Amino acid sequence: AEPRARALAYAVLGDEAEADAWLDRAIAESPDVPRTWELAVVLHEHWGRSTKRELRIAEVVRGGPFPARGPSDVLPTITWDIASFRGWPIDGLLLEADRVRPDPNFPWALEAVLP
């Protein structure tokens, strides 16, 4: 797997040192790829580190502001049918349905169940 995937995998497993090493390798190999910096922001924020530098670089690489993070209260306008792999507009009938959204968001929601 490429370095970003390995960094994320080690982070999910709780191996911060190994995740850091793979994140550094990902940055060295692909500093011009927005996903590299998005991962750096997510991991550093999760570990309680400053993300000021990573956010500045991410905005330059993205060519615009970094997207907002955190839970969203905005109702979706489309729902996905997993049987047909097709999106359907929400017609008002599903607005009251329970939404399964982990808090915190994936992948950190899996920490409690991973070995």
Side-chain angles (χ1 to χ4, degrees):
E2 59 98 21
R4 284 187 305 261
R6 288 186 184 267
L8 181 59
Y10 280 111
V12 170
L13 291 174
D15 191 340
E16 187 175 337
E18 196 67 28
D20 244 348
W22 281 100
L23 181 59
D24 289 343
R25 185 171 172 186
I27 290 170
E29 288 183 13
S30 53
D32 59 333
V33 177
R35 289 280 183 233
T36 301
W37 296 102
E38 292 166 2
L39 179 62
V41 169
V42 168
L43 293 181
H44 285 194
E45 194 170 76
H46 176 70
W47 292 325
R49 300 179 190 168
S50 172
T51 57
K52 289 179 184 178
R53 176 181 176 268
E54 288 77 13
L55 284 170
R56 283 195 312 268
I57 296 170
E59 289 182 350
V60 170
V61 172
R62 292 173 59 83
F66 196 81
R69 295 169 316 285
S72 172
D73 292 333
V74 178
L75 287 175
T77 58
I78 193 166
T79 188
W80 293 96
D81 178 8
I82 62 171
S84 66
F85 301 104
R86 186 169 172 196
W88 297 92
I90 292 181
D91 58 5
L93 299 175
L94 298 175
L95 293 178
E96 297 300 319
D98 290 330
R99 305 284 179 223
V100 181
R101 293 184 185 162
D103 186 28
N105 292 327
F106 179 83
W108 313 121
L110 297 177
E111 284 182 337
V113 295
L114 290 173

